Amino acid sequence: MNVQSMTGFARAVAERDGTSIAWEVKSVNGKSVEVRLRLPQGFDRLEPAVRQTVQKRFARGNFQATLTVARAVAQQAQPVVNEAFLKDLAGLAKRLQEQFGTQPATADGLLALRGVLDIPDTVETEEERAALDAAILSALDTALAGLELARQSEGAALRTLLSGHIATIEALTLKAEADPSREPAAIRERIAEQVGLLMDASANLDAVRLHQEAAFLATKADIREEIDRLKTHVASARALLSGGGAVGRKLDFLAQEFNRESNTLCSKSNAAAVTAIGLELKAVVDQFREQVQNLE
């Protein structure tokens, strides 16, 4: 399966018996599937079906879908003018002009008044309405397929980017593991140097006890567990990207684990070289997590 970004846009048009249908759909990042609709007046009946269609197709994202329906002129109901009411309003407007000097009434102004012009609803049979609804939902499927392709295209680019971050995390982990400061000989030399400095500062200190405490601190500062966990997380991240699908949440969890191990590695480090590696690791993990936020 392909991984998907949560951002994308698509448009689909169709026609049914002279009626033009157009869908525009777009999506951005979201914690779950949220759908906002813009439907023409009289088409609210389609809202449940549209929401269900989007929710079945996608796992995450904030979606906005806009429907435009344009009927052919022959299908449009002819406007009905209440001529008697219009005549009365025109006469009233003229008297107001003569008595109070108001501006003369205009045709468009009079026609815009409530009750003057009425456009009745288009009369259609149940069969015609059902056929139009089916055409609209079919066009929606086409638009959503286009949106899915757009999200997959951006998802492919994100996969390449994230794979690069994972490779860098692995390389830094191996670099920390191989750092000379972690060699037993280097650790013994550092402990002996620290104990020697303390003994020189005070002859009353117990040399044996100092060696025991230094050995304990050296063990506590060992980063073997952090390195092993980082390697495990690298393998898990690669498996998720390879498997595809809606892996954004799982990769976000792994990003938190990467960050936790990086922080612990820095806090445990007793060598400048390892600390520098840990700080570089944290920077890469931040970039990884930022990009993961865009995945479904």
Side-chain angles (χ1 to χ4, degrees):
M1 295 177 65
N2 296 321
V3 294
Q4 287 190 33
S5 165
M6 284 191 285
T7 60
F9 172 83
R11 188 173 190 272
V13 296
E15 187 172 334
R16 166 75 186 182
D17 292 339
T19 298
S20 298
I21 302 164
W23 277 105
E24 287 189 353
V25 291
K26 64 179 181 180
S27 67
V28 295
N29 295 1
K31 293 183 178 180
S32 57
V33 177
E34 296 183 17
V35 184
R36 293 193 298 273
L37 302 178
R38 292 181 179 177
L39 303 176
Q41 183 177 357
F43 288 89
D44 294 341
R45 63 183 183 272
L46 295 174
E47 183 172 341
V50 173
R51 290 186 182 278
Q52 187 177 28
T53 301
V54 176
Q55 290 167 352
K56 282 184 177 180
R57 193 163 201 136
F58 301 99
R60 290 177 68 194
N62 285 329
F63 297 83
Q64 181 172 306
T66 302
L67 171 65
T68 303
V69 178
R71 297 181 185 273
V73 175
Q75 294 178 316
Q76 297 176 0
Q78 297 301 310
V80 177
V81 179
N82 187 335
E83 295 187 10
F85 187 34
L86 177 60
K87 184 177 180 180
D88 290 342
L89 289 175
L92 176 60
K94 186 175 182 179
R95 289 196 301 273
L96 290 174
Q97 180 185 359
E98 293 172 350
Q99 295 178 15
F100 302 103
T102 59
Q103 292 294 324
T106 61
D108 58 344
L110 291 172
L111 290 173
L113 295 174
R114 181 178 297 180
V116 176
L117 182 66
D118 181 41
I119 302 178
D121 295 335
T122 302
V123 178
E124 58 185 0
T125 65
E126 288 295 329
E127 292 76 11
E128 290 172 335
R129 175 176 293 189
L132 178 59
D133 289 355
I136 290 173
L137 293 177
S138 177
L140 174 64
D141 281 333
T142 302
L144 293 180
L147 178 63
E148 188 171 17
L149 285 176
R151 285 163 57 110
Q152 288 176 353
S153 177
E154 187 172 336
L158 283 174
R159 176 186 291 199
T160 300
L161 188 61
L162 291 171
S163 295
H165 290 327
I166 294 171
T168 303
I169 292 171
E170 181 181 44
L172 289 171
T173 300
L174 296 176
K175 186 178 179 181
E177 183 180 34
D179 191 84
S181 66
R182 299 191 64 250
E183 294 292 331
I187 295 173
R188 284 196 300 269
E189 182 180 349
R190 193 159 55 247
I191 291 175
E193 181 181 351
Q194 293 169 347
V195 171
L197 290 173
L198 289 172
M199 292 298 296
D200 290 341
S202 176
N204 296 325
L205 294 175
D206 184 346
V208 176
R209 179 64 183 274
L210 279 177
H211 277 286
Q212 291 175 343
E213 292 294 334
F216 172 74
L217 291 174
T219 301
K220 189 176 180 180
D222 184 61
I223 58 173
R224 177 76 262 165
E225 290 185 7
E226 286 68 35
I227 289 174
D228 288 342
R229 282 195 287 266
L230 282 168
K231 288 181 177 180
T232 300
H233 297 333
V234 164
S236 297
R238 281 181 172 149
L240 286 172
L241 279 180
S242 177
V247 295
R249 291 183 185 276
K250 294 178 181 179
L251 284 172
D252 185 52
F253 172 76
L254 277 180
Q256 297 176 48
E257 293 300 305
F258 277 135
N259 188 62
R260 182 177 294 109
E261 301 306 332
S262 302
N263 285 333
T264 307
L265 187 146
C266 287
S267 65
K268 280 189 172 185
S269 171
N270 53 14
V274 175
T275 300
I277 293 171
L279 293 174
E280 190 176 353
L281 190 59
K282 281 172 58 65
V284 177
V285 169
D286 284 343
Q287 295 171 8
F288 176 80
R289 188 175 187 184
E290 182 179 351
Q291 296 300 328
V292 163
Q293 304 302 315
N294 298 317
L295 281 184
E296 182 182 53

